Amino acid sequence: MSSLSATIQDIFNEPGCAKNANKSDVERKKGCTKQLQPGAAAGGCAFDGAKIALQPFTDVAHLIHGPIACEGNSWDNRGAASSGASIWRTSFTTDMTETDVVFGGEKRLYNAIKEIIRKYNPAAVFVYQTCVPAMIGDDIDVVCKAASRKFRKPVIPINAPGFVGSKNLGNKLAGEALLEHVIGTEEPDYTTPYDINMIGEYNLSGELWQIKPLFDELGIRILSCISGDGRYQEVASSHRARAAMLVCSKSMINVARRMEERYRIPFFEGSFYGIQDSSASLREIAQLLVRRGAPEDLIERTEAVIAREEARAWAAIRQYKSRFGGKRALLITGGVKSWSVLAALQEAGLELVGTSVKKSTEEDKERIQELMGLDAHMIEDISAREMYKMLKDARADIMLSGGKSQFVALKAAMPWLDINQERSHAYLGYVGIVKLVEEIDKALFNPIWEQLRQPAPWEAFCKNTHSDPMAQAAESASCPTPAERARRSKRICFCKRVDLGTLEDAIRSHRLTTVREIRQKTNASGGCGACKSRIRHILASIRESSAPDMLDAAE
């Protein structure tokens, strides 16, 4: 059992990482030794990443060892779906207090594991280390080993305290825990030549279920999905798969590569977003399985399914392509979606003005260039201000992003569609691309956007020109500049809290000529009377600049 620091170093030295792929054999063994920088966890800590990666295992109890606040990462907001047990949605925490910090929390953790097993009898218990118990020295490995031996139940330590790094590092630490404690520990009930693993697929909004019927038709069995709608026994026996598909290399390349190294399970990175990518992934899976011993007719049957599904999908989105002519989209996401969703949008007839690559690998960027050409606009990082300007200047007609960016689009009065983990719709596969196109069409042509872009009544009033000086004065009052607002807000009568703008408006609208009349209308000078001289001066100034009819009335 390696230490946490050694495990992290191994992750940075991952030979399968895109940054290490083009290095020499000697340099590749050195790997990526770049140290973590302060602030690396700003987008989510390592604990958050580990919990995100593993919580979709549905028959497992996920226990957070730490203060109760650490349990507030709210997996439900990410929309993973389950076809089986629901214990994964129950929040378990040791709820450490100040007393535990002083005396240690290992006994509290052991009792929590005992209570969970007694009440819920899960297939396994995953124990997540957080910052506080890690800093005081709680050894969750020892506690988990003792509890597993005592209760005859797998109790798996997930050593990913938040302070060690970013969310992505947490994803990989979760994978390391599976490799060390879970994968290869059980045997499947039976095996077939068509068994595959799906790695880095989280079944968001039930997306995996849009592809599974095609697998079932072809006889392909998902032996294990890591981790969407997954089961503990499935991942424990996943070492018997014949091939694997890596959905998100940014999160679990270490799992796919080491399973290939240990168990000779070949893998490829693919995507089921869009028509062409879905077809390419199905072909690659079929070819890998045939090379591993599956009947050769699998390739022919796969081509027949692809031809049928492509024809249906193209027919369904054909009606939208003419509506999308000239429409431009801005894609703010990351990882595999930076190129896979991009390809789907291009199939729908949209022009891409840019795609974010902050969380993308070098291989992801190469695929983007293949899709968008040499003029590909890859955005490493974009501020909310720049995003707003791009939308406001009409350089994009719709933005597809995560929920954190939606208010930028709403402020710019531009359509927005959720494409990240929190989305409510599934966009995977041939059925998914049709749903994505439908949702884009609804967003683009919703009449609310045209209404929101209309100028407000006061803005329209400001654009009108008036020849009447009284109307010009009213216009100036209703549409003041910042300097004019500051001038009009100047306090004249402190006793009754009357400002200059109120006095000017009353004098002009009611044609007031004396301090007494002003007091009757505004209550100014109704206190100590010290403001009378200021009011007389305002009256004199308005008399000098007013229309002749007002001057006549004043005389």
Side-chain angles (χ1 to χ4, degrees), residues 510-551:
H510 298 288
R511 299 178 182 271
L512 307 179
T513 59
T514 66
V515 174
R516 181 179 179 182
E517 291 174 342
I518 291 174
R519 181 166 57 250
Q520 291 174 346
K521 292 292 184 181
T522 66
N523 209 22
S525 79
C528 67
C531 58
K532 287 183 180 179
S533 60
R534 293 192 291 271
I535 295 174
R536 291 193 185 99
H537 179 72
I538 294 168
L539 271 170
S541 299
I542 293 178
R543 282 167 61 92
E544 292 175 3
S545 60
S546 296
D549 57 342
M550 183 174 178
L551 291 173

mmCIF file of all heavy atoms in Angstrom, residues 510-551:
data_model
loop_
_atom_site.group_PDB
_atom_site.id
_atom_site.type_symbol
_atom_site.label_atom_id
_atom_site.label_comp_id
_atom_site.label_asym_id
_atom_site.label_seq_id
_atom_site.Cartn_x
_atom_site.Cartn_y
_atom_site.Cartn_z
ATOM 1 N N HIS A 510 -45.573 72.540 -12.403
ATOM 2 C CA HIS A 510 -46.689 73.308 -11.831
ATOM 3 C C HIS A 510 -46.543 74.813 -12.035
ATOM 4 O O HIS A 510 -47.377 75.584 -11.562
ATOM 5 C CB HIS A 510 -46.803 72.999 -10.332
ATOM 6 C CG HIS A 510 -47.104 71.566 -10.027
ATOM 7 N ND1 HIS A 510 -48.324 70.975 -10.262
ATOM 8 C CD2 HIS A 510 -46.309 70.578 -9.511
ATOM 9 C CE1 HIS A 510 -48.282 69.708 -9.896
ATOM 10 N NE2 HIS A 510 -47.070 69.435 -9.437
ATOM 11 N N ARG A 511 -45.464 75.219 -12.745
ATOM 12 C CA ARG A 511 -45.202 76.648 -13.018
ATOM 13 C C ARG A 511 -45.219 77.469 -11.722
ATOM 14 O O ARG A 511 -45.894 78.502 -11.607
ATOM 15 C CB ARG A 511 -46.217 77.202 -14.017
ATOM 16 C CG ARG A 511 -46.180 76.488 -15.366
ATOM 17 C CD ARG A 511 -47.217 77.004 -16.328
ATOM 18 N NE ARG A 511 -47.181 76.276 -17.591
ATOM 19 C CZ ARG A 511 -46.416 76.619 -18.629
ATOM 20 N NH1 ARG A 511 -45.636 77.680 -18.534
ATOM 21 N NH2 ARG A 511 -46.440 75.910 -19.736
ATOM 22 N N LEU A 512 -44.465 76.989 -10.735
ATOM 23 C CA LEU A 512 -44.402 77.664 -9.437
ATOM 24 C C LEU A 512 -43.502 78.884 -9.546
ATOM 25 O O LEU A 512 -42.496 78.874 -10.263
ATOM 26 C CB LEU A 512 -43.862 76.702 -8.373
ATOM 27 C CG LEU A 512 -44.584 75.335 -8.257
ATOM 28 C CD1 LEU A 512 -43.921 74.478 -7.193
ATOM 29 C CD2 LEU A 512 -46.066 75.538 -7.963
ATOM 30 N N THR A 513 -43.867 79.933 -8.802
ATOM 31 C CA THR A 513 -43.101 81.197 -8.884
ATOM 32 C C THR A 513 -42.681 81.738 -7.533
ATOM 33 O O THR A 513 -41.893 82.707 -7.479
ATOM 34 C CB THR A 513 -43.947 82.273 -9.603
ATOM 35 O OG1 THR A 513 -45.174 82.467 -8.878
ATOM 36 C CG2 THR A 513 -44.251 81.856 -11.030
ATOM 37 N N THR A 514 -43.165 81.153 -6.430
ATOM 38 C CA THR A 514 -42.812 81.675 -5.111
ATOM 39 C C THR A 514 -42.398 80.533 -4.185
ATOM 40 O O THR A 514 -42.727 79.364 -4.428
ATOM 41 C CB THR A 514 -44.007 82.416 -4.471
ATOM 42 O OG1 THR A 514 -45.049 81.458 -4.196
ATOM 43 C CG2 THR A 514 -44.534 83.520 -5.392
ATOM 44 N N VAL A 515 -41.682 80.909 -3.122
ATOM 45 C CA VAL A 515 -41.261 79.919 -2.136
ATOM 46 C C VAL A 515 -42.471 79.299 -1.461
ATOM 47 O O VAL A 515 -42.485 78.104 -1.140
ATOM 48 C CB VAL A 515 -40.326 80.571 -1.093
ATOM 49 C CG1 VAL A 515 -39.997 79.595 0.030
ATOM 50 C CG2 VAL A 515 -39.060 81.075 -1.743
ATOM 51 N N ARG A 516 -43.504 80.100 -1.247
ATOM 52 C CA ARG A 516 -44.708 79.586 -0.589
ATOM 53 C C ARG A 516 -45.362 78.483 -1.433
ATOM 54 O O ARG A 516 -45.792 77.453 -0.901
ATOM 55 C CB ARG A 516 -45.686 80.725 -0.367
ATOM 56 C CG ARG A 516 -46.981 80.307 0.336
ATOM 57 C CD ARG A 516 -47.886 81.504 0.540
ATOM 58 N NE ARG A 516 -49.133 81.106 1.194
ATOM 59 C CZ ARG A 516 -50.144 81.935 1.465
ATOM 60 N NH1 ARG A 516 -50.023 83.227 1.128
ATOM 61 N NH2 ARG A 516 -51.227 81.500 2.058
ATOM 62 N N GLU A 517 -45.457 78.722 -2.747
ATOM 63 C CA GLU A 517 -46.047 77.713 -3.626
ATOM 64 C C GLU A 517 -45.210 76.427 -3.633
ATOM 65 O O GLU A 517 -45.744 75.315 -3.649
ATOM 66 C CB GLU A 517 -46.153 78.270 -5.054
ATOM 67 C CG GLU A 517 -47.185 79.381 -5.188
ATOM 68 C CD GLU A 517 -47.159 80.003 -6.575
ATOM 69 O OE1 GLU A 517 -46.164 79.832 -7.303
ATOM 70 O OE2 GLU A 517 -48.153 80.682 -6.918
ATOM 71 N N ILE A 518 -43.887 76.610 -3.600
ATOM 72 C CA ILE A 518 -43.011 75.433 -3.576
ATOM 73 C C ILE A 518 -43.201 74.644 -2.287
ATOM 74 O O ILE A 518 -43.211 73.408 -2.283
ATOM 75 C CB ILE A 518 -41.551 75.885 -3.739
ATOM 76 C CG1 ILE A 518 -41.316 76.424 -5.158
ATOM 77 C CG2 ILE A 518 -40.587 74.744 -3.447
ATOM 78 C CD1 ILE A 518 -39.963 77.027 -5.373
ATOM 79 N N ARG A 519 -43.361 75.352 -1.156
ATOM 80 C CA ARG A 519 -43.562 74.674 0.117
ATOM 81 C C ARG A 519 -44.857 73.877 0.103
ATOM 82 O O ARG A 519 -44.945 72.778 0.638
ATOM 83 C CB ARG A 519 -43.586 75.701 1.253
ATOM 84 C CG ARG A 519 -43.765 75.048 2.642
ATOM 85 C CD ARG A 519 -43.456 76.003 3.789
ATOM 86 N NE ARG A 519 -44.252 77.209 3.752
ATOM 87 C CZ ARG A 519 -43.772 78.427 3.464
ATOM 88 N NH1 ARG A 519 -42.491 78.577 3.204
ATOM 89 N NH2 ARG A 519 -44.561 79.482 3.440
ATOM 90 N N GLN A 520 -45.915 74.416 -0.550
ATOM 91 C CA GLN A 520 -47.188 73.715 -0.611
ATOM 92 C C GLN A 520 -47.094 72.423 -1.442
ATOM 93 O O GLN A 520 -47.755 71.428 -1.139
ATOM 94 C CB GLN A 520 -48.256 74.631 -1.212
ATOM 95 C CG GLN A 520 -48.629 75.798 -0.301
ATOM 96 C CD GLN A 520 -49.579 76.778 -0.969
ATOM 97 O OE1 GLN A 520 -49.770 76.751 -2.191
ATOM 98 N NE2 GLN A 520 -50.192 77.663 -0.166
ATOM 99 N N LYS A 521 -46.229 72.442 -2.483
ATOM 100 C CA LYS A 521 -46.137 71.282 -3.370
ATOM 101 C C LYS A 521 -45.093 70.251 -2.908
ATOM 102 O O LYS A 521 -45.271 69.048 -3.117
ATOM 103 C CB LYS A 521 -45.790 71.739 -4.788
ATOM 104 C CG LYS A 521 -46.895 72.518 -5.477
ATOM 105 C CD LYS A 521 -48.096 71.617 -5.762
ATOM 106 C CE LYS A 521 -49.184 72.363 -6.539
ATOM 107 N NZ LYS A 521 -50.357 71.490 -6.787
ATOM 108 N N THR A 522 -44.011 70.716 -2.308
ATOM 109 C CA THR A 522 -42.899 69.805 -1.998
ATOM 110 C C THR A 522 -42.572 69.729 -0.511
ATOM 111 O O THR A 522 -41.769 68.886 -0.112
ATOM 112 C CB THR A 522 -41.630 70.253 -2.729
ATOM 113 O OG1 THR A 522 -41.198 71.517 -2.206
ATOM 114 C CG2 THR A 522 -41.863 70.382 -4.230
ATOM 115 N N ASN A 523 -43.126 70.654 0.282
ATOM 116 C CA ASN A 523 -42.822 70.728 1.719
ATOM 117 C C ASN A 523 -41.424 71.281 1.986
ATOM 118 O O ASN A 523 -40.972 71.287 3.126
ATOM 119 C CB ASN A 523 -42.977 69.364 2.394
ATOM 120 C CG ASN A 523 -43.368 69.505 3.866
ATOM 121 O OD1 ASN A 523 -43.916 70.538 4.280
ATOM 122 N ND2 ASN A 523 -43.094 68.488 4.657
ATOM 123 N N ALA A 524 -40.706 71.692 0.930
ATOM 124 C CA ALA A 524 -39.395 72.316 1.128
ATOM 125 C C ALA A 524 -39.564 73.655 1.834
ATOM 126 O O ALA A 524 -40.552 74.367 1.617
ATOM 127 C CB ALA A 524 -38.708 72.516 -0.214
ATOM 128 N N SER A 525 -38.593 73.994 2.682
ATOM 129 C CA SER A 525 -38.599 75.203 3.523
ATOM 130 C C SER A 525 -39.705 75.150 4.570
ATOM 131 O O SER A 525 -40.048 76.167 5.157
ATOM 132 C CB SER A 525 -38.725 76.485 2.693
ATOM 133 O OG SER A 525 -40.067 76.716 2.293
ATOM 134 N N GLY A 526 -40.244 73.955 4.810
ATOM 135 C CA GLY A 526 -41.300 73.806 5.814
ATOM 136 C C GLY A 526 -40.753 73.532 7.192
ATOM 137 O O GLY A 526 -41.512 73.289 8.129
ATOM 138 N N GLY A 527 -39.417 73.581 7.333
ATOM 139 C CA GLY A 527 -38.812 73.323 8.628
ATOM 140 C C GLY A 527 -38.228 74.595 9.214
ATOM 141 O O GLY A 527 -38.941 75.534 9.564
ATOM 142 N N CYS A 528 -36.890 74.644 9.270
ATOM 143 C CA CYS A 528 -36.230 75.802 9.876
ATOM 144 C C CYS A 528 -36.230 77.021 8.965
ATOM 145 O O CYS A 528 -35.990 78.139 9.413
ATOM 146 C CB CYS A 528 -34.800 75.439 10.261
ATOM 147 S SG CYS A 528 -33.735 75.108 8.835
ATOM 148 N N GLY A 529 -36.433 76.794 7.684
ATOM 149 C CA GLY A 529 -36.480 77.925 6.748
ATOM 150 C C GLY A 529 -35.134 78.379 6.240
ATOM 151 O O GLY A 529 -35.050 79.361 5.489
ATOM 152 N N ALA A 530 -34.064 77.678 6.603
ATOM 153 C CA ALA A 530 -32.724 78.109 6.190
ATOM 154 C C ALA A 530 -32.494 77.930 4.692
ATOM 155 O O ALA A 530 -31.565 78.507 4.127
ATOM 156 C CB ALA A 530 -31.679 77.326 6.968
ATOM 157 N N CYS A 531 -33.333 77.148 4.015
ATOM 158 C CA CYS A 531 -33.129 76.869 2.604
ATOM 159 C C CYS A 531 -33.857 77.853 1.689
ATOM 160 O O CYS A 531 -33.814 77.720 0.471
ATOM 161 C CB CYS A 531 -33.578 75.453 2.278
ATOM 162 S SG CYS A 531 -35.309 75.135 2.668
ATOM 163 N N LYS A 532 -34.534 78.860 2.272
ATOM 164 C CA LYS A 532 -35.330 79.766 1.436
ATOM 165 C C LYS A 532 -34.469 80.480 0.405
ATOM 166 O O LYS A 532 -34.854 80.653 -0.751
ATOM 167 C CB LYS A 532 -36.053 80.797 2.312
ATOM 168 C CG LYS A 532 -37.226 80.225 3.093
ATOM 169 C CD LYS A 532 -37.924 81.332 3.887
ATOM 170 C CE LYS A 532 -39.105 80.751 4.662
ATOM 171 N NZ LYS A 532 -39.795 81.793 5.460
ATOM 172 N N SER A 533 -33.277 80.918 0.819
ATOM 173 C CA SER A 533 -32.422 81.644 -0.119
ATOM 174 C C SER A 533 -31.974 80.728 -1.262
ATOM 175 O O SER A 533 -31.886 81.167 -2.424
ATOM 176 C CB SER A 533 -31.198 82.202 0.613
ATOM 177 O OG SER A 533 -30.438 81.143 1.195
ATOM 178 N N ARG A 534 -31.726 79.466 -0.974
ATOM 179 C CA ARG A 534 -31.332 78.529 -2.028
ATOM 180 C C ARG A 534 -32.487 78.285 -2.993
ATOM 181 O O ARG A 534 -32.287 78.183 -4.202
ATOM 182 C CB ARG A 534 -30.859 77.208 -1.405
ATOM 183 C CG ARG A 534 -29.561 77.332 -0.602
ATOM 184 C CD ARG A 534 -28.974 75.971 -0.267
ATOM 185 N NE ARG A 534 -29.783 75.242 0.706
ATOM 186 C CZ ARG A 534 -29.632 75.328 2.019
ATOM 187 N NH1 ARG A 534 -28.719 76.157 2.533
ATOM 188 N NH2 ARG A 534 -30.381 74.614 2.837
ATOM 189 N N ILE A 535 -33.688 78.200 -2.446
ATOM 190 C CA ILE A 535 -34.860 77.975 -3.298
ATOM 191 C C ILE A 535 -35.103 79.179 -4.197
ATOM 192 O O ILE A 535 -35.437 79.043 -5.385
ATOM 193 C CB ILE A 535 -36.100 77.664 -2.436
ATOM 194 C CG1 ILE A 535 -35.893 76.322 -1.689
ATOM 195 C CG2 ILE A 535 -37.360 77.607 -3.286
ATOM 196 C CD1 ILE A 535 -36.986 75.984 -0.709
ATOM 197 N N ARG A 536 -34.926 80.403 -3.632
ATOM 198 C CA ARG A 536 -35.108 81.619 -4.459
ATOM 199 C C ARG A 536 -34.094 81.636 -5.604
ATOM 200 O O ARG A 536 -34.412 82.043 -6.723
ATOM 201 C CB ARG A 536 -34.966 82.868 -3.589
ATOM 202 C CG ARG A 536 -36.091 83.077 -2.582
ATOM 203 C CD ARG A 536 -36.034 84.491 -2.005
ATOM 204 N NE ARG A 536 -37.039 84.668 -0.960
ATOM 205 C CZ ARG A 536 -36.799 84.590 0.325
ATOM 206 N NH1 ARG A 536 -35.555 84.348 0.769
ATOM 207 N NH2 ARG A 536 -37.761 84.762 1.204
ATOM 208 N N HIS A 537 -32.867 81.180 -5.323
ATOM 209 C CA HIS A 537 -31.841 81.145 -6.361
ATOM 210 C C HIS A 537 -32.223 80.147 -7.462
ATOM 211 O O HIS A 537 -32.032 80.430 -8.660
ATOM 212 C CB HIS A 537 -30.499 80.754 -5.738
ATOM 213 C CG HIS A 537 -29.385 80.667 -6.735
ATOM 214 N ND1 HIS A 537 -28.828 81.774 -7.326
ATOM 215 C CD2 HIS A 537 -28.736 79.580 -7.255
ATOM 216 C CE1 HIS A 537 -27.883 81.394 -8.171
ATOM 217 N NE2 HIS A 537 -27.805 80.062 -8.137
ATOM 218 N N ILE A 538 -32.779 79.006 -7.076
ATOM 219 C CA ILE A 538 -33.221 78.007 -8.059
ATOM 220 C C ILE A 538 -34.357 78.579 -8.901
ATOM 221 O O ILE A 538 -34.390 78.413 -10.128
ATOM 222 C CB ILE A 538 -33.667 76.721 -7.342
ATOM 223 C CG1 ILE A 538 -32.467 76.057 -6.650
ATOM 224 C CG2 ILE A 538 -34.310 75.734 -8.318
ATOM 225 C CD1 ILE A 538 -32.849 74.953 -5.690
ATOM 226 N N LEU A 539 -35.281 79.259 -8.239
ATOM 227 C CA LEU A 539 -36.383 79.896 -8.971
ATOM 228 C C LEU A 539 -35.869 80.879 -10.005
ATOM 229 O O LEU A 539 -36.313 80.897 -11.158
ATOM 230 C CB LEU A 539 -37.314 80.613 -7.994
ATOM 231 C CG LEU A 539 -38.480 79.804 -7.403
ATOM 232 C CD1 LEU A 539 -39.150 80.587 -6.291
ATOM 233 C CD2 LEU A 539 -39.476 79.443 -8.497
ATOM 234 N N ALA A 540 -34.901 81.709 -9.590
ATOM 235 C CA ALA A 540 -34.356 82.712 -10.502
ATOM 236 C C ALA A 540 -33.665 82.061 -11.693
ATOM 237 O O ALA A 540 -33.814 82.505 -12.843
ATOM 238 C CB ALA A 540 -33.382 83.622 -9.753
ATOM 239 N N SER A 541 -32.946 80.982 -11.437
ATOM 240 C CA SER A 541 -32.248 80.297 -12.530
ATOM 241 C C SER A 541 -33.227 79.705 -13.528
ATOM 242 O O SER A 541 -33.030 79.777 -14.747
ATOM 243 C CB SER A 541 -31.361 79.181 -11.963
ATOM 244 O OG SER A 541 -30.381 79.722 -11.100
ATOM 245 N N ILE A 542 -34.312 79.124 -13.027
ATOM 246 C CA ILE A 542 -35.299 78.520 -13.927
ATOM 247 C C ILE A 542 -36.055 79.599 -14.696
ATOM 248 O O ILE A 542 -36.361 79.428 -15.880
ATOM 249 C CB ILE A 542 -36.252 77.616 -13.127
ATOM 250 C CG1 ILE A 542 -35.485 76.406 -12.568
ATOM 251 C CG2 ILE A 542 -37.423 77.149 -13.987
ATOM 252 C CD1 ILE A 542 -36.295 75.471 -11.719
ATOM 253 N N ARG A 543 -36.342 80.747 -14.036
ATOM 254 C CA ARG A 543 -37.029 81.847 -14.731
ATOM 255 C C ARG A 543 -36.205 82.325 -15.917
ATOM 256 O O ARG A 543 -36.735 82.654 -16.980
ATOM 257 C CB ARG A 543 -37.271 83.001 -13.748
ATOM 258 C CG ARG A 543 -38.441 82.773 -12.795
ATOM 259 C CD ARG A 543 -38.419 83.776 -11.662
ATOM 260 N NE ARG A 543 -38.525 85.139 -12.164
ATOM 261 C CZ ARG A 543 -39.693 85.787 -12.304
ATOM 262 N NH1 ARG A 543 -40.823 85.186 -11.969
ATOM 263 N NH2 ARG A 543 -39.718 87.034 -12.752
ATOM 264 N N GLU A 544 -34.873 82.361 -15.735
ATOM 265 C CA GLU A 544 -34.009 82.845 -16.810
ATOM 266 C C GLU A 544 -33.968 81.888 -18.002
ATOM 267 O O GLU A 544 -33.821 82.309 -19.142
ATOM 268 C CB GLU A 544 -32.591 83.060 -16.278
ATOM 269 C CG GLU A 544 -32.474 84.196 -15.284
ATOM 270 C CD GLU A 544 -31.079 84.302 -14.698
ATOM 271 O OE1 GLU A 544 -30.207 83.494 -15.136
ATOM 272 O OE2 GLU A 544 -30.862 85.140 -13.820
ATOM 273 N N SER A 545 -34.100 80.584 -17.730
ATOM 274 C CA SER A 545 -33.979 79.592 -18.805
ATOM 275 C C SER A 545 -35.306 79.049 -19.295
ATOM 276 O O SER A 545 -35.346 78.237 -20.214
ATOM 277 C CB SER A 545 -33.135 78.417 -18.332
ATOM 278 O OG SER A 545 -33.742 77.801 -17.208
ATOM 279 N N SER A 546 -36.429 79.512 -18.705
ATOM 280 C CA SER A 546 -37.730 78.951 -19.049
ATOM 281 C C SER A 546 -38.302 79.598 -20.294
ATOM 282 O O SER A 546 -37.849 80.643 -20.765
ATOM 283 C CB SER A 546 -38.719 79.123 -17.892
ATOM 284 O OG SER A 546 -38.288 78.399 -16.771
ATOM 285 N N ALA A 547 -39.341 78.970 -20.830
ATOM 286 C CA ALA A 547 -40.027 79.482 -22.011
ATOM 287 C C ALA A 547 -40.722 80.796 -21.689
ATOM 288 O O ALA A 547 -41.064 81.079 -20.535
ATOM 289 C CB ALA A 547 -41.056 78.459 -22.487
ATOM 290 N N PRO A 548 -40.977 81.610 -22.725
ATOM 291 C CA PRO A 548 -41.612 82.926 -22.499
ATOM 292 C C PRO A 548 -42.952 82.823 -21.786
ATOM 293 O O PRO A 548 -43.280 83.675 -20.978
ATOM 294 C CB PRO A 548 -41.779 83.455 -23.923
ATOM 295 C CG PRO A 548 -40.691 82.784 -24.698
ATOM 296 C CD PRO A 548 -40.565 81.434 -24.116
ATOM 297 N N ASP A 549 -43.742 81.786 -22.087
ATOM 298 C CA ASP A 549 -45.058 81.715 -21.439
ATOM 299 C C ASP A 549 -44.945 81.549 -19.936
ATOM 300 O O ASP A 549 -45.767 82.037 -19.169
ATOM 301 C CB ASP A 549 -45.896 80.579 -22.029
ATOM 302 C CG ASP A 549 -45.190 79.234 -21.909
ATOM 303 O OD1 ASP A 549 -43.965 79.225 -21.707
ATOM 304 O OD2 ASP A 549 -45.892 78.207 -22.018
ATOM 305 N N MET A 550 -43.880 80.873 -19.467
ATOM 306 C CA MET A 550 -43.702 80.733 -18.023
ATOM 307 C C MET A 550 -43.261 82.050 -17.415
ATOM 308 O O MET A 550 -43.665 82.402 -16.305
ATOM 309 C CB MET A 550 -42.678 79.634 -17.722
ATOM 310 C CG MET A 550 -42.506 79.389 -16.219
ATOM 311 S SD MET A 550 -41.436 78.008 -15.873
ATOM 312 C CE MET A 550 -41.435 78.096 -14.067
ATOM 313 N N LEU A 551 -42.421 82.786 -18.156
ATOM 314 C CA LEU A 551 -41.985 84.084 -17.652
ATOM 315 C C LEU A 551 -43.165 85.038 -17.532
ATOM 316 O O LEU A 551 -43.285 85.788 -16.563
ATOM 317 C CB LEU A 551 -40.927 84.674 -18.590
ATOM 318 C CG LEU A 551 -39.583 83.937 -18.597
ATOM 319 C CD1 LEU A 551 -38.694 84.507 -19.679
ATOM 320 C CD2 LEU A 551 -38.911 84.034 -17.249
#
